[in-house]
Amino acid sequence: MPSPALEPAIQVTGLRKSYPSKQGPQLVLDGVDLTVPAGTVTALLGPNGAGKTTAVGVLSTLLHADAGTVRVAGHDVAREGDAVRAAIGVTGQITAVDDLLTGAENLRLMADLHHLGRSAGKRRTAELLDQFGLADAAAKPVAAYSGGMKRKLDLAMTLVGSPAVVFLDEPTTGLDPRSRRTLWDEVRRLVAGGTTILLTTQYLEEADQLADSVAVLHGGRVVAQGTPDELKAVHDAGSLDDVFLALTEPPAEDLPGADTATTSPKEDVR
């Protein structure tokens, strides 16, 4: 008998999320459906303000959904938050390292938060420093690190607890090309070891290079999902840039200079 299919690492159905405002609730996610198979990279793309970071916030238990079901690493986000948090790692847009501590001290702090114990924490710290090429700088204050080194340390801190699912929210923003490619290599290594990654990025080349699947978020919904090659074929496009523009450009009547006598302006909520 064939083995049953593995449960997706991330399964989202009908996710809705809005924020209060003076004009009333501003809907950001309007029925998002998303499936991320285990051991893969899915890139979540969308224009600025499309709700990518909001989606990551809900999936990582940092925000509460208004409606819908979300399962991460086999657990319901709404009912099993502790189990979800134990199974995930999150690297946000802002590097979450302490500049006053050394690289090793940052990692040992995370090991303590994960209750690894002194000896296990020291071993895990040494492993990650070596893995990310930071061993020579382990005793230096992080304030002396370059931007690329800080980003690598940030990702290493995310991995202290050996998470099954990792959320990378625009992790290479502001990095130079060499540091960006170094981080790409680390992402590939993680996935080869079975980790699942949900990546948000503004760099479409990054999505093309790393992602097994690409999902495009627009108008509060996932308007397309598939491999980069599949999306290019469907839209007769030579690059993901062309696919992105085809899926997210406003219709002609919404562009400046359109005939406003027959169309009404649309409000951009977020």
Side-chain angles (χ1 to χ4, degrees), residues 231-245:
L231 293 182
K232 290 175 202 174
V234 167
H235 294 277
D236 193 23
S239 69
L240 278 183
D241 295 74
D242 296 330
V243 173
F244 183 82
L245 290 173

Side-chain angles (χ1 to χ4, degrees), residues 11-255:
Q11 184 71 64
V12 180
T13 305
L15 172 60
R16 292 175 60 87
K17 177 66 180 177
S18 61
Y19 293 102
S21 75
K22 293 180 179 179
Q23 294 74 35
Q26 299 294 292
L27 188 62
V28 178
L29 303 176
D30 183 18
V32 169
D33 297 323
L34 180 67
T35 300
V36 178
T40 66
V41 179
T42 291
L44 185 61
L45 308 180
N48 288 331
K52 302 183 296 297
T53 296
T54 295
V56 170
V58 173
L59 269 59
S60 58
T61 77
L62 297 174
L63 296 172
H64 294 290
D66 297 333
T69 59
V70 180
R71 293 183 64 81
V72 175
H75 304 287
D76 184 277
V77 166
R79 295 185 292 105
E80 303 171 276
D82 288 344
V84 171
R85 287 187 286 273
I88 67 173
V90 182
T91 297
Q93 295 180 21
I94 300 174
T95 303
V97 297
D98 190 327
D99 283 350
L100 299 179
L101 301 179
T102 67
E105 287 169 342
N106 270 278
L107 287 167
R108 286 199 294 269
L109 176 61
M110 290 302 297
D112 290 343
L113 292 174
H114 282 280
H115 307 291
L116 293 188
R118 178 172 297 221
S119 59
K122 288 179 68 175
R123 286 196 303 271
R124 187 64 175 146
T125 293
E127 289 170 359
L128 289 167
L129 287 168
D130 183 63
Q131 176 181 320
F132 283 87
L134 295 172
D136 290 343
K140 294 180 180 179
V142 172
Y145 284 22
S146 67
M149 292 171 68
K150 287 183 179 181
R151 213 46 167 139
K152 288 195 290 184
L153 178 62
D154 194 31
L155 181 54
M157 291 169 64
T158 298
L159 301 178
V160 166
S162 301
V165 178
V166 174
F167 298 100
L168 301 179
D169 192 9
E170 301 191 18
T172 62
T173 297
L175 294 187
D176 62 82
R178 184 185 299 276
S179 297
R180 183 174 296 129
R181 290 187 179 275
T182 298
L183 203 60
W184 290 2
D185 289 341
E186 291 300 333
V187 169
R188 294 186 181 105
R189 189 199 59 76
L190 286 171
V191 175
T195 304
T196 304
I197 292 180
L198 180 66
L199 166 74
T200 75
T201 181
Q202 296 287 356
Y203 300 109
L204 300 187
E205 179 196 7
E206 186 163 86
D208 211 350
Q209 288 284 333
L210 294 178
D212 301 291
S213 177
V214 171
V216 181
L217 186 63
H218 185 53
R221 296 173 179 269
V222 173
V223 295
Q225 183 172 6
T227 69
D229 287 343
E230 287 171 347
L231 293 182
K232 290 175 202 174
V234 167
H235 294 277
D236 193 23
S239 69
L240 278 183
D241 295 74
D242 296 330
V243 173
F244 183 82
L245 290 173
L247 289 168
T248 62
E249 277 193 329
E253 62 267 20
D254 291 335
L255 295 173

